[in-house]
Amino acid sequence: MNRDRSGEVAAIFTSHGVLDASTTILASRAIGPGVEANPIVRELLAMGELPALVGMLGAVGLCCGAWPIAADALDTPEWVGFSVATVGAAVAAINLVVVFA
C-alpha cells in the first residue's frame, strides 16, 4: 500500500530536524556542548555550529527519505509518523527549557 506520507515526513523533518537542531545549538550556547547526551552531536558541536547543523539535518533528512518506504513496508498507520514528530517537538521543548532556565 502506497500512502501519501508527505505530511508525516514534513512533520518529522520539522520537529526532529529544524526544531531540534536549532534548539540544540541554542542549548549548547547556553551551557556548552559537553552536556549534549548524544556523543555524535556532542562531537559535531565541538567542531562548530555549522557542522552540527549540517550533520543533524543531514541525518534527519536521510531518515525522512526512508520513512515512506519503511512505513509502507510495515503498513504503519499515519498516527505513528505524527507521534514520531511529537517526540521531536518534545525534545525541542526540553532544549528550550535548558536555554531559558
Side-chain angles (χ1 to χ4, degrees):
M1 167 182 301
N2 287 328
R3 298 183 201 164
D4 179 17
R5 296 193 180 266
S6 58
E8 295 169 67
V9 170
I12 293 169
F13 186 78
T14 300
S15 66
H16 279 281
V18 178
L19 288 175
D20 184 33
S22 333
T23 58
T24 296
I25 289 170
L26 290 173
S28 172
R29 286 180 182 176
I31 60 172
V35 182
E36 169 62 41
N38 182 327
I40 296 170
V41 174
R42 187 171 50 242
E43 289 299 318
L44 288 170
L45 286 166
M47 293 169 53
E49 292 177 357
L50 185 60
L53 183 67
V54 170
M56 287 186 278
L57 292 178
V60 173
L62 287 172
C63 292
C64 284
W67 176 258
I69 298 164
D72 282 346
L74 297 171
D75 197 27
T76 305
E78 186 179 73
W79 65 264
V80 173
F82 289 111
S83 295
V84 170
T86 301
V87 170
V91 169
I94 292 167
N95 286 341
L96 287 177
V97 168
V98 169
V99 170
F100 294 109

